[in-house]
Amino acid sequence: MHADRDTLFRHLWNQYLKVTPSAQEVHRILGDTQDSDIVNDHIALRTFNLEKVKLAKLAEHFLTLGYRQCGEYRFEAKKLYARHYEHDDPTAPKVFISELLVEEFSPELQAIVSNLVGQVNASAVLAEDFLYSGRHWQIDYASYQRLLAESEYAAWLAAWGYRANHFTVSVNHLLRFDSIYAVNEALKAHGFAINSAGGEVKGTPEELLEQSSTLADKAEVVFSDRTVSIPSCFYEFARRYPKSDGDLYTGFIAASADKIFESTHAMM
Ligand code: OOG
Ligand code: NI
């Protein structure tokens, strides 16, 4: 029975589409005629490392569904920690969860974040819909800007709350494309901007994972004092290579992930 898992991913997908309409067009460009041609390699979620909403609280929702904790990753410059989760069912998408190391930032950022998290109801974090429940706080535009000056991740999370930050097309499963370079070219020919931080393709066959991503769409966020269009969510593409035992590599690459995070930066 995968009903609960399918339901969770369906809710996450529907919420993601509302602020990432370009995902439908990506499916049209890469798939044949049906959305079912696209296989999701993984999703990513973001949070703050404060007790009430820390990574482990989000992970609990996946452990309940039979996922297990796998790799861990550290991002010194961005001040993030992440883990990935896998399921014994190889058709289950992998899950990448990161958390901002709030105590490593300025007292101003810490004060804003602790105010936001203070507005979260602890029981809401345990609720079935938490992972796709969006924002649990009010925030004004100046506070958003203040966070943005120190951490793009903090600002994005403060604006968007709990949701899938991206879904990921498994390039291995595409019928009409066999390389991530060809995927990027097709998307660019349709006017998509590809995240070029660290190069358009991150990772190599030797590292067993190649990744690329679109730059995030933009969507309106209702701040307490005004409504502003800011970067929302993006789409990622991943091609995995077999390990020496013949099975596909299932982990992530910290150096590549470090650049994928930048897909939500506003680039003008
Ligand atoms: C996660 C970035 C890392 C990957 O596949 O390496 C990642 C994020 O932007 O929240 O998804
Ligand atoms: Ni990813």
Side-chain angles (χ1 to χ4, degrees), residues 163-224:
R163 56 178 61 248
N165 166 268
H166 61 273
F167 276 70
T168 310
V169 173
S170 167
V171 173
N172 299 65
H173 289 86
L174 290 176
L175 302 174
R176 297 196 293 119
F177 295 86
D178 57 7
S179 88
I180 200 149
Y181 294 89
V183 166
N184 286 353
E185 291 315 312
L187 293 169
K188 286 195 281 184
H190 284 83
F192 275 88
I194 301 294
N195 173 359
S196 59
E200 287 184 349
V201 173
K202 292 119 178 86
T204 60
E206 292 68 36
E207 289 171 289
L208 307 182
L209 176 60
E210 290 174 323
Q211 293 166 280
S212 70
S213 60
T214 62
L215 286 185
D217 282 7
K218 282 194 166 178
E220 286 193 340
V221 166
V222 180
F223 293 99
S224 53

Short mmCIF file of all heavy atoms in Angstrom, two decimals, residues 163-224:
data_model
loop_
_atom_site.label_atom_id
_atom_site.label_comp_id
_atom_site.label_asym_id
_atom_site.label_seq_id
_atom_site.Cartn_x
_atom_site.Cartn_y
_atom_site.Cartn_z
N ARG A 163 6.78 23.71 2.00
CA ARG A 163 6.39 23.26 0.66
C ARG A 163 7.61 22.60 0.03
O ARG A 163 8.73 22.79 0.50
CB ARG A 163 5.98 24.46 -0.21
CG ARG A 163 7.07 25.53 -0.30
CD ARG A 163 6.68 26.70 -1.20
NE ARG A 163 5.50 27.40 -0.73
CZ ARG A 163 4.32 27.39 -1.37
NH1 ARG A 163 4.19 26.72 -2.50
NH2 ARG A 163 3.29 28.06 -0.89
N ALA A 164 7.38 21.85 -1.07
CA ALA A 164 8.52 21.31 -1.82
C ALA A 164 9.17 22.47 -2.54
O ALA A 164 8.51 23.22 -3.25
CB ALA A 164 8.06 20.25 -2.81
N ASN A 165 10.46 22.60 -2.34
CA ASN A 165 11.22 23.66 -2.98
C ASN A 165 11.45 23.34 -4.47
O ASN A 165 11.51 24.22 -5.30
CB ASN A 165 12.53 23.75 -2.21
CG ASN A 165 13.56 24.53 -2.90
OD1 ASN A 165 14.36 23.96 -3.65
ND2 ASN A 165 13.53 25.81 -2.69
N HIS A 166 11.59 22.05 -4.77
CA HIS A 166 11.62 21.61 -6.17
C HIS A 166 11.25 20.14 -6.27
O HIS A 166 11.35 19.40 -5.30
CB HIS A 166 12.99 21.84 -6.83
CG HIS A 166 14.15 21.13 -6.19
ND1 HIS A 166 14.86 21.65 -5.15
CD2 HIS A 166 14.74 19.94 -6.48
CE1 HIS A 166 15.84 20.83 -4.82
NE2 HIS A 166 15.78 19.77 -5.60
N PHE A 167 10.82 19.76 -7.46
CA PHE A 167 10.70 18.36 -7.86
C PHE A 167 11.85 18.14 -8.85
O PHE A 167 12.48 19.10 -9.30
CB PHE A 167 9.34 18.11 -8.54
CG PHE A 167 8.24 17.84 -7.55
CD1 PHE A 167 7.74 18.85 -6.73
CD2 PHE A 167 7.68 16.57 -7.43
CE1 PHE A 167 6.74 18.60 -5.81
CE2 PHE A 167 6.66 16.31 -6.51
CZ PHE A 167 6.19 17.31 -5.71
N THR A 168 12.13 16.88 -9.18
CA THR A 168 13.31 16.57 -10.00
C THR A 168 12.98 15.53 -11.06
O THR A 168 12.57 14.41 -10.73
CB THR A 168 14.44 16.02 -9.10
OG1 THR A 168 14.62 16.91 -8.01
CG2 THR A 168 15.73 15.86 -9.88
N VAL A 169 13.15 15.88 -12.30
CA VAL A 169 12.93 14.92 -13.38
C VAL A 169 14.08 13.93 -13.40
O VAL A 169 15.26 14.34 -13.45
CB VAL A 169 12.85 15.64 -14.74
CG1 VAL A 169 12.81 14.63 -15.89
CG2 VAL A 169 11.65 16.58 -14.80
N SER A 170 13.76 12.63 -13.37
CA SER A 170 14.80 11.61 -13.53
C SER A 170 15.11 11.49 -15.01
O SER A 170 14.30 10.99 -15.79
CB SER A 170 14.29 10.26 -12.98
OG SER A 170 15.17 9.24 -13.43
N VAL A 171 16.30 11.96 -15.40
CA VAL A 171 16.69 11.93 -16.81
C VAL A 171 16.85 10.48 -17.27
O VAL A 171 16.57 10.14 -18.42
CB VAL A 171 17.98 12.77 -17.03
CG1 VAL A 171 18.50 12.63 -18.46
CG2 VAL A 171 17.70 14.24 -16.69
N ASN A 172 17.24 9.59 -16.35
CA ASN A 172 17.38 8.16 -16.69
C ASN A 172 16.09 7.59 -17.27
O ASN A 172 16.12 6.68 -18.08
CB ASN A 172 17.74 7.34 -15.44
CG ASN A 172 19.04 7.76 -14.82
OD1 ASN A 172 19.17 8.88 -14.33
ND2 ASN A 172 20.04 6.89 -14.84
N HIS A 173 14.95 8.12 -16.81
CA HIS A 173 13.67 7.56 -17.23
C HIS A 173 13.07 8.25 -18.44
O HIS A 173 12.00 7.85 -18.91
CB HIS A 173 12.66 7.62 -16.08
CG HIS A 173 12.96 6.66 -14.97
ND1 HIS A 173 13.83 6.97 -13.94
CD2 HIS A 173 12.53 5.40 -14.74
CE1 HIS A 173 13.91 5.93 -13.12
NE2 HIS A 173 13.12 4.97 -13.57
N LEU A 174 13.68 9.30 -18.95
CA LEU A 174 13.10 10.01 -20.10
C LEU A 174 13.25 9.14 -21.35
O LEU A 174 14.30 8.53 -21.57
CB LEU A 174 13.79 11.37 -20.31
CG LEU A 174 13.51 12.45 -19.26
CD1 LEU A 174 14.34 13.70 -19.56
CD2 LEU A 174 12.02 12.78 -19.20
N LEU A 175 12.21 9.10 -22.15
CA LEU A 175 12.26 8.28 -23.35
C LEU A 175 12.91 9.01 -24.52
O LEU A 175 13.52 8.40 -25.38
CB LEU A 175 10.83 7.86 -23.75
CG LEU A 175 10.06 7.09 -22.68
CD1 LEU A 175 8.62 6.84 -23.12
CD2 LEU A 175 10.76 5.77 -22.36
N ARG A 176 12.78 10.35 -24.52
CA ARG A 176 13.23 11.09 -25.70
C ARG A 176 14.56 11.81 -25.51
O ARG A 176 15.03 12.48 -26.41
CB ARG A 176 12.14 12.09 -26.12
CG ARG A 176 10.85 11.39 -26.54
CD ARG A 176 9.94 12.32 -27.31
NE ARG A 176 9.40 13.40 -26.49
CZ ARG A 176 9.62 14.69 -26.71
NH1 ARG A 176 10.37 15.08 -27.71
NH2 ARG A 176 9.08 15.58 -25.91
N PHE A 177 15.15 11.71 -24.31
CA PHE A 177 16.42 12.40 -24.04
C PHE A 177 17.34 11.43 -23.33
O PHE A 177 16.89 10.72 -22.43
CB PHE A 177 16.20 13.62 -23.13
CG PHE A 177 15.37 14.70 -23.77
CD1 PHE A 177 13.99 14.65 -23.71
CD2 PHE A 177 15.98 15.75 -24.44
CE1 PHE A 177 13.21 15.63 -24.30
CE2 PHE A 177 15.21 16.74 -25.04
CZ PHE A 177 13.82 16.68 -24.97
N ASP A 178 18.62 11.40 -23.71
CA ASP A 178 19.50 10.50 -22.97
C ASP A 178 20.64 11.23 -22.28
O ASP A 178 21.51 10.60 -21.69
CB ASP A 178 20.02 9.35 -23.86
CG ASP A 178 20.73 9.87 -25.08
OD1 ASP A 178 20.94 11.11 -25.17
OD2 ASP A 178 21.08 9.06 -25.95
N SER A 179 20.66 12.58 -22.36
CA SER A 179 21.71 13.28 -21.61
C SER A 179 21.13 14.54 -20.98
O SER A 179 20.15 15.10 -21.47
CB SER A 179 22.90 13.64 -22.51
OG SER A 179 22.67 14.90 -23.14
N ILE A 180 21.76 14.97 -19.90
CA ILE A 180 21.31 16.17 -19.20
C ILE A 180 21.62 17.41 -20.04
O ILE A 180 20.89 18.40 -19.99
CB ILE A 180 21.93 16.21 -17.79
CG1 ILE A 180 21.11 17.12 -16.88
CG2 ILE A 180 23.38 16.61 -17.81
CD1 ILE A 180 21.12 16.71 -15.45
N TYR A 181 22.65 17.31 -20.88
CA TYR A 181 23.00 18.42 -21.77
C TYR A 181 21.87 18.63 -22.79
O TYR A 181 21.48 19.75 -23.09
CB TYR A 181 24.34 18.14 -22.48
CG TYR A 181 25.49 18.14 -21.49
CD1 TYR A 181 25.86 16.96 -20.84
CD2 TYR A 181 26.17 19.32 -21.19
CE1 TYR A 181 26.89 16.96 -19.90
CE2 TYR A 181 27.20 19.33 -20.26
CZ TYR A 181 27.55 18.14 -19.61
OH TYR A 181 28.57 18.14 -18.69
N ALA A 182 21.34 17.52 -23.33
CA ALA A 182 20.25 17.61 -24.31
C ALA A 182 18.98 18.18 -23.65
O ALA A 182 18.24 18.95 -24.27
CB ALA A 182 19.98 16.22 -24.90
N VAL A 183 18.76 17.81 -22.40
CA VAL A 183 17.60 18.35 -21.65
C VAL A 183 17.75 19.87 -21.52
O VAL A 183 16.82 20.63 -21.81
CB VAL A 183 17.50 17.69 -20.25
CG1 VAL A 183 16.55 18.46 -19.34
CG2 VAL A 183 17.05 16.24 -20.39
N ASN A 184 18.94 20.32 -21.11
CA ASN A 184 19.17 21.77 -20.96
C ASN A 184 18.96 22.49 -22.28
O ASN A 184 18.36 23.57 -22.32
CB ASN A 184 20.59 22.04 -20.45
CG ASN A 184 20.76 21.69 -18.98
OD1 ASN A 184 19.80 21.37 -18.29
ND2 ASN A 184 21.99 21.75 -18.51
N GLU A 185 19.47 21.92 -23.37
CA GLU A 185 19.34 22.58 -24.68
C GLU A 185 17.88 22.70 -25.07
O GLU A 185 17.45 23.74 -25.57
CB GLU A 185 20.15 21.83 -25.76
CG GLU A 185 21.67 21.93 -25.60
CD GLU A 185 22.18 23.35 -25.30
OE1 GLU A 185 21.77 24.30 -26.01
OE2 GLU A 185 22.96 23.52 -24.34
N ALA A 186 17.11 21.66 -24.85
CA ALA A 186 15.68 21.69 -25.22
C ALA A 186 14.96 22.76 -24.40
O ALA A 186 14.13 23.51 -24.93
CB ALA A 186 15.05 20.31 -24.97
N LEU A 187 15.29 22.84 -23.12
CA LEU A 187 14.62 23.84 -22.27
C LEU A 187 15.02 25.25 -22.69
O LEU A 187 14.17 26.16 -22.77
CB LEU A 187 14.97 23.60 -20.80
CG LEU A 187 14.40 22.29 -20.23
CD1 LEU A 187 15.02 22.00 -18.87
CD2 LEU A 187 12.89 22.36 -20.12
N LYS A 188 16.30 25.44 -22.98
CA LYS A 188 16.76 26.78 -23.39
C LYS A 188 16.12 27.18 -24.72
O LYS A 188 15.76 28.35 -24.91
CB LYS A 188 18.29 26.81 -23.49
CG LYS A 188 18.94 26.82 -22.09
CD LYS A 188 20.40 27.22 -22.14
CE LYS A 188 21.25 26.04 -22.58
NZ LYS A 188 22.69 26.37 -22.55
N ALA A 189 15.94 26.20 -25.62
CA ALA A 189 15.31 26.50 -26.91
C ALA A 189 13.87 26.97 -26.70
O ALA A 189 13.30 27.67 -27.54
CB ALA A 189 15.35 25.26 -27.81
N HIS A 190 13.26 26.59 -25.58
CA HIS A 190 11.91 27.04 -25.25
C HIS A 190 11.93 28.25 -24.33
O HIS A 190 10.91 28.58 -23.72
CB HIS A 190 11.11 25.90 -24.61
CG HIS A 190 10.64 24.88 -25.60
ND1 HIS A 190 11.43 23.85 -26.05
CD2 HIS A 190 9.46 24.76 -26.28
CE1 HIS A 190 10.76 23.13 -26.93
NE2 HIS A 190 9.56 23.67 -27.10
N GLY A 191 13.08 28.88 -24.18
CA GLY A 191 13.13 30.13 -23.43
C GLY A 191 13.40 30.00 -21.94
O GLY A 191 13.39 31.00 -21.22
N PHE A 192 13.67 28.78 -21.47
CA PHE A 192 13.96 28.62 -20.04
C PHE A 192 15.36 29.10 -19.70
O PHE A 192 16.29 28.91 -20.49
CB PHE A 192 13.85 27.14 -19.63
CG PHE A 192 12.46 26.72 -19.31
CD1 PHE A 192 11.60 26.26 -20.31
CD2 PHE A 192 11.98 26.81 -18.01
CE1 PHE A 192 10.29 25.88 -20.01
CE2 PHE A 192 10.68 26.43 -17.71
CZ PHE A 192 9.84 25.97 -18.71
N ALA A 193 15.51 29.69 -18.50
CA ALA A 193 16.83 30.04 -17.99
C ALA A 193 17.30 28.89 -17.10
O ALA A 193 16.55 28.43 -16.22
CB ALA A 193 16.74 31.33 -17.19
N ILE A 194 18.51 28.42 -17.35
CA ILE A 194 19.09 27.33 -16.55
C ILE A 194 20.03 27.96 -15.52
O ILE A 194 20.78 28.89 -15.84
CB ILE A 194 19.88 26.35 -17.46
CG1 ILE A 194 18.96 25.76 -18.54
CG2 ILE A 194 20.54 25.25 -16.65
CD1 ILE A 194 17.85 24.88 -18.04
N ASN A 195 19.98 27.46 -14.28
CA ASN A 195 20.89 27.95 -13.23
C ASN A 195 22.33 27.66 -13.66
O ASN A 195 22.69 26.51 -13.84
CB ASN A 195 20.54 27.24 -11.92
CG ASN A 195 21.54 27.54 -10.80
OD1 ASN A 195 22.51 28.27 -11.01
ND2 ASN A 195 21.30 26.98 -9.63
N SER A 196 23.13 28.72 -13.81
CA SER A 196 24.50 28.53 -14.30
C SER A 196 25.55 28.61 -13.19
O SER A 196 26.75 28.56 -13.46
CB SER A 196 24.81 29.57 -15.38
OG SER A 196 24.67 30.87 -14.84
N ALA A 197 25.12 28.71 -11.93
CA ALA A 197 26.08 28.74 -10.81
C ALA A 197 26.88 27.45 -10.82
O ALA A 197 26.31 26.35 -10.78
CB ALA A 197 25.34 28.90 -9.49
N GLY A 198 28.19 27.56 -10.91
CA GLY A 198 29.04 26.37 -10.96
C GLY A 198 28.94 25.61 -12.27
O GLY A 198 29.29 24.44 -12.34
N GLY A 199 28.43 26.26 -13.32
CA GLY A 199 28.22 25.59 -14.61
C GLY A 199 26.81 25.06 -14.73
O GLY A 199 26.18 24.74 -13.71
N GLU A 200 26.30 24.99 -15.96
CA GLU A 200 24.90 24.54 -16.11
C GLU A 200 24.69 23.09 -15.68
O GLU A 200 23.62 22.74 -15.19
CB GLU A 200 24.44 24.75 -17.56
CG GLU A 200 24.22 26.24 -17.85
CD GLU A 200 23.67 26.51 -19.24
OE1 GLU A 200 23.63 25.58 -20.07
OE2 GLU A 200 23.28 27.66 -19.49
N VAL A 201 25.72 22.26 -15.88
CA VAL A 201 25.62 20.87 -15.40
C VAL A 201 26.55 20.73 -14.20
O VAL A 201 27.73 21.03 -14.28
CB VAL A 201 25.99 19.85 -16.50
CG1 VAL A 201 26.04 18.44 -15.93
CG2 VAL A 201 24.98 19.93 -17.64
N LYS A 202 25.98 20.31 -13.08
CA LYS A 202 26.77 20.10 -11.87
C LYS A 202 27.03 18.60 -11.71
O LYS A 202 26.12 17.81 -11.88
CB LYS A 202 26.00 20.62 -10.64
CG LYS A 202 25.85 22.15 -10.63
CD LYS A 202 24.40 22.52 -10.67
CE LYS A 202 24.11 23.98 -10.62
NZ LYS A 202 24.14 24.65 -11.94
N GLY A 203 28.29 18.25 -11.39
CA GLY A 203 28.61 16.83 -11.21
C GLY A 203 29.03 16.20 -12.53
O GLY A 203 28.83 16.77 -13.60
N THR A 204 29.62 15.01 -12.41
CA THR A 204 30.17 14.29 -13.57
C THR A 204 29.78 12.81 -13.48
O THR A 204 29.39 12.34 -12.40
CB THR A 204 31.72 14.36 -13.55
OG1 THR A 204 32.15 13.73 -12.32
CG2 THR A 204 32.22 15.79 -13.60
N PRO A 205 29.92 12.08 -14.60
CA PRO A 205 29.66 10.63 -14.54
C PRO A 205 30.53 9.95 -13.47
O PRO A 205 30.10 9.01 -12.81
CB PRO A 205 30.01 10.15 -15.95
CG PRO A 205 29.78 11.36 -16.82
CD PRO A 205 30.17 12.54 -15.97
N GLU A 206 31.76 10.44 -13.29
CA GLU A 206 32.66 9.85 -12.28
C GLU A 206 32.09 10.01 -10.87
O GLU A 206 32.28 9.16 -10.00
CB GLU A 206 34.05 10.48 -12.35
CG GLU A 206 34.84 10.15 -13.61
CD GLU A 206 34.28 10.76 -14.89
OE1 GLU A 206 33.76 11.90 -14.83
OE2 GLU A 206 34.32 10.09 -15.94
N GLU A 207 31.40 11.14 -10.66
CA GLU A 207 30.77 11.37 -9.34
C GLU A 207 29.43 10.64 -9.23
O GLU A 207 28.78 10.68 -8.20
CB GLU A 207 30.55 12.87 -9.13
CG GLU A 207 31.85 13.65 -8.91
CD GLU A 207 31.62 15.16 -8.91
OE1 GLU A 207 31.32 15.71 -10.00
OE2 GLU A 207 31.72 15.77 -7.83
N LEU A 208 29.01 10.05 -10.35
CA LEU A 208 27.79 9.23 -10.44
C LEU A 208 26.48 10.01 -10.41
O LEU A 208 25.40 9.43 -10.30
CB LEU A 208 27.76 8.14 -9.34
CG LEU A 208 29.01 7.25 -9.28
CD1 LEU A 208 28.86 6.18 -8.18
CD2 LEU A 208 29.26 6.57 -10.63
N LEU A 209 26.58 11.34 -10.48
CA LEU A 209 25.35 12.16 -10.51
C LEU A 209 25.62 13.45 -11.27
O LEU A 209 26.57 14.18 -10.95
CB LEU A 209 24.91 12.47 -9.07
CG LEU A 209 23.70 13.39 -8.89
CD1 LEU A 209 22.45 12.80 -9.54
CD2 LEU A 209 23.43 13.66 -7.41
N GLU A 210 24.78 13.69 -12.28
CA GLU A 210 24.79 14.97 -13.00
C GLU A 210 23.45 15.64 -12.73
O GLU A 210 22.40 14.98 -12.79
CB GLU A 210 24.93 14.76 -14.52
CG GLU A 210 26.29 14.26 -14.95
CD GLU A 210 26.32 13.94 -16.45
OE1 GLU A 210 25.31 13.42 -16.98
OE2 GLU A 210 27.35 14.18 -17.07
N GLN A 211 23.49 16.95 -12.45
CA GLN A 211 22.27 17.69 -12.12
C GLN A 211 22.25 19.04 -12.82
O GLN A 211 23.29 19.66 -13.01
CB GLN A 211 22.22 17.96 -10.61
CG GLN A 211 22.05 16.74 -9.74
CD GLN A 211 22.35 17.06 -8.30
OE1 GLN A 211 23.53 17.12 -7.91
NE2 GLN A 211 21.34 17.29 -7.48
N SER A 212 21.05 19.50 -13.14
CA SER A 212 20.87 20.89 -13.57
C SER A 212 19.52 21.34 -13.07
O SER A 212 18.73 20.52 -12.56
CB SER A 212 20.98 21.00 -15.10
OG SER A 212 19.87 20.40 -15.72
N SER A 213 19.23 22.63 -13.20
CA SER A 213 17.93 23.11 -12.72
C SER A 213 17.56 24.40 -13.44
O SER A 213 18.43 25.13 -13.94
CB SER A 213 17.96 23.36 -11.21
OG SER A 213 18.94 24.32 -10.90
N THR A 214 16.26 24.66 -13.48
CA THR A 214 15.79 25.93 -14.01
C THR A 214 16.01 26.99 -12.92
O THR A 214 16.22 26.65 -11.75
CB THR A 214 14.28 25.89 -14.32
OG1 THR A 214 13.55 25.65 -13.11
CG2 THR A 214 13.95 24.79 -15.33
N LEU A 215 15.95 28.25 -13.31
CA LEU A 215 15.87 29.30 -12.29
C LEU A 215 14.42 29.33 -11.84
O LEU A 215 13.50 29.12 -12.64
CB LEU A 215 16.27 30.65 -12.88
CG LEU A 215 17.75 30.87 -13.14
CD1 LEU A 215 17.98 32.30 -13.60
CD2 LEU A 215 18.59 30.57 -11.90
N ALA A 216 14.21 29.61 -10.56
CA ALA A 216 12.85 29.61 -10.02
C ALA A 216 11.91 30.53 -10.79
O ALA A 216 12.34 31.58 -11.29
CB ALA A 216 12.89 30.03 -8.56
N ASP A 217 10.65 30.11 -10.88
CA ASP A 217 9.59 31.00 -11.37
C ASP A 217 9.49 32.16 -10.40
O ASP A 217 10.11 32.14 -9.32
CB ASP A 217 8.25 30.26 -11.38
CG ASP A 217 8.12 29.30 -12.57
OD1 ASP A 217 9.11 29.12 -13.30
OD2 ASP A 217 7.02 28.75 -12.75
N LYS A 218 8.64 33.14 -10.73
CA LYS A 218 8.34 34.18 -9.76
C LYS A 218 6.84 34.11 -9.46
O LYS A 218 6.05 33.79 -10.36
CB LYS A 218 8.69 35.56 -10.31
CG LYS A 218 10.18 35.82 -10.23
CD LYS A 218 10.51 37.26 -10.46
CE LYS A 218 11.96 37.53 -10.02
NZ LYS A 218 12.32 38.92 -10.27
N ALA A 219 6.49 34.39 -8.21
CA ALA A 219 5.07 34.39 -7.84
C ALA A 219 4.88 35.40 -6.72
O ALA A 219 5.83 35.78 -6.04
CB ALA A 219 4.63 32.99 -7.41
N GLU A 220 3.63 35.82 -6.57
CA GLU A 220 3.34 36.86 -5.58
C GLU A 220 3.27 36.32 -4.16
O GLU A 220 2.65 35.29 -3.90
CB GLU A 220 2.00 37.54 -5.92
CG GLU A 220 2.14 38.45 -7.12
CD GLU A 220 0.95 39.37 -7.29
OE1 GLU A 220 -0.14 39.07 -6.75
OE2 GLU A 220 1.11 40.39 -7.99
N VAL A 221 3.92 37.06 -3.26
CA VAL A 221 3.87 36.73 -1.84
C VAL A 221 3.18 37.89 -1.13
O VAL A 221 3.50 39.07 -1.37
CB VAL A 221 5.29 36.53 -1.26
CG1 VAL A 221 5.26 36.52 0.26
CG2 VAL A 221 5.87 35.22 -1.78
N VAL A 222 2.23 37.56 -0.27
CA VAL A 222 1.52 38.58 0.49
C VAL A 222 2.27 38.81 1.80
O VAL A 222 2.19 38.00 2.73
CB VAL A 222 0.06 38.14 0.77
CG1 VAL A 222 -0.67 39.22 1.56
CG2 VAL A 222 -0.66 37.83 -0.54
N PHE A 223 3.07 39.88 1.86
CA PHE A 223 3.71 40.28 3.11
C PHE A 223 2.68 41.07 3.90
O PHE A 223 1.65 41.47 3.36
CB PHE A 223 4.96 41.12 2.80
CG PHE A 223 6.04 40.33 2.12
CD1 PHE A 223 6.20 40.39 0.73
CD2 PHE A 223 6.88 39.49 2.85
CE1 PHE A 223 7.18 39.63 0.09
CE2 PHE A 223 7.87 38.74 2.20
CZ PHE A 223 8.02 38.81 0.83
N SER A 224 2.95 41.33 5.18
CA SER A 224 1.92 41.98 5.99
C SER A 224 1.64 43.42 5.54
O SER A 224 0.57 43.95 5.79
CB SER A 224 2.28 41.93 7.48
OG SER A 224 3.57 42.44 7.68
#
